[in-house]
């Protein structure tokens, strides 16, 4: 009889310690998850049209939320070749670095690659009787511009962006 009680006690304590361990693991995982969300550039930001309107200038709003296009050679950055980082004007997500910027001669800031794979997202755009690939901010969905296959090495891509969607920070 004593042996049985002892056995039950042992099983119970093992079960309890296993449970508490797995709880600790869960807590750790949750914490890791939260940390990752904080630094991830794909942590989505969703705001209403009204909120964006309040936050952005008229031109920034037209381009980023209404998929407008600024006139070529008029934006702030088509002719900027300083070293630094280009951020999303709407949510500050880092999008491009100056090292990947090149002079495409088209009047819009052009890059051959985004700063990271998840910093932007792609949508098929069939407006104006063309099929183009729209590029949007990976975090807030702001319209940035389009990507074409006539860029320079190493990617052969040309990310043709609107200055109005970007905010440049010099290094
Ligand atoms: Zn954004």
């Amino acid at each position: 009889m004593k042996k049985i009680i002892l056995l039950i006690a042992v099983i119970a304590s093992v079960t309890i310690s296993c449970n508490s361990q797995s709880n600790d693991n869960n807590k750790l995982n949750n914490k890791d998850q939260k940390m990752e969300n904080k630094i991830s550039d794909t942590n989505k930001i969703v705001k209403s049209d009204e909120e964006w309107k309040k936050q952005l200038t008229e031109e920034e709003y037209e381009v980023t939320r209404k998929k407008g296009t600024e006139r070529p050679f008029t934006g702030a950055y088509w002719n900027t070749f300083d070293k630094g980082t280009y951020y999303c004007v709407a949510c500050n997500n880092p999008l491009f670095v100056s090292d990947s910027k090149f002079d495409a001669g088209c009047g819009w800031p052009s890059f051959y690659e985004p700063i990271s794979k998840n910093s932007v997202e792609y949508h098929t755009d069939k407006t104006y009787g063309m099929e183009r690939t729209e590029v949007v901010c990976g975090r807030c969905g702001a319209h940035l511009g389009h990507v074409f296959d006539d860029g320079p090495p190493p990617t052969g891509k040309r990310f043709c962006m609107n200055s109005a969607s970007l905010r440049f920070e010099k290094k």
Side-chain angles (χ1 to χ4, degrees):
M1 191 62 186
K2 258 187 186 170
K3 263 187 191 167
I4 291 171
I5 290 170
L6 191 66
L7 195 63
I8 290 170
V10 167
I11 290 170
S13 74
V14 166
T15 311
I16 288 164
S17 74
C18 279
N19 278 345
S20 75
Q21 202 175 4
S22 77
N23 278 343
D24 282 351
N25 279 343
N26 282 343
K27 267 182 209 158
L28 269 178
N29 285 339
N30 283 340
K31 207 174 156 195
D32 282 352
Q33 195 69 44
K34 271 180 196 157
M35 287 291 285
E36 202 180 305
N37 283 345
K38 255 182 201 165
I39 56 166
S40 164
D41 56 9
T42 56
N43 193 7
K44 302 287 182 200
I45 291 180
V46 179
K47 290 186 185 180
S48 70
D49 254 13
E50 280 310 305
E51 284 174 293
W52 286 124
K53 228 175 215 173
K54 267 185 215 160
Q55 182 192 323
L56 301 167
T57 68
E58 208 173 305
E59 191 191 20
E60 289 165 359
Y61 176 80
E62 271 306 307
V63 173
T64 59
R65 306 329 302 187
K66 297 293 165 196
K67 305 186 192 301
T69 302
E70 70 197 12
R71 281 180 296 124
F73 305 103
T74 63
Y77 303 130
W78 68 274
N79 205 17
T80 300
F81 289 95
D82 292 326
K83 294 265 176 214
T85 305
Y86 292 83
Y87 298 85
C88 172
V89 77
C91 77
N92 258 339
N93 187 21
L95 298 172
F96 299 96
V97 287
S98 53
D99 289 349
S100 67
K101 195 172 189 291
F102 65 98
D103 186 1
C106 61
W108 290 285
S110 302
F111 306 84
Y112 61 72
E113 68 183 357
I115 201 166
S116 71
K117 216 176 154 192
N118 293 330
S119 62
V120 298
E121 285 177 2
Y122 306 94
H123 300 298
T124 304
D125 175 4
K126 290 186 176 171
T127 57
Y128 302 108
M130 295 177 269
E131 185 164 327
R132 295 178 295 169
T133 304
E134 182 196 7
V135 183
V136 303
C137 171
R139 188 193 270 162
C140 76
H143 171 80
L144 305 173
H146 292 87
V147 61
F148 302 95
D149 288 324
D150 56 6
T155 64
K157 299 286 180 194
R158 173 170 60 97
F159 286 78
C160 184
M161 304 288 102
N162 287 281
S163 300
S165 304
L166 304 172
R167 184 183 63 77
F168 178 61
E169 210 172 278
K170 220 171 165 175
K171 218 182 233 175

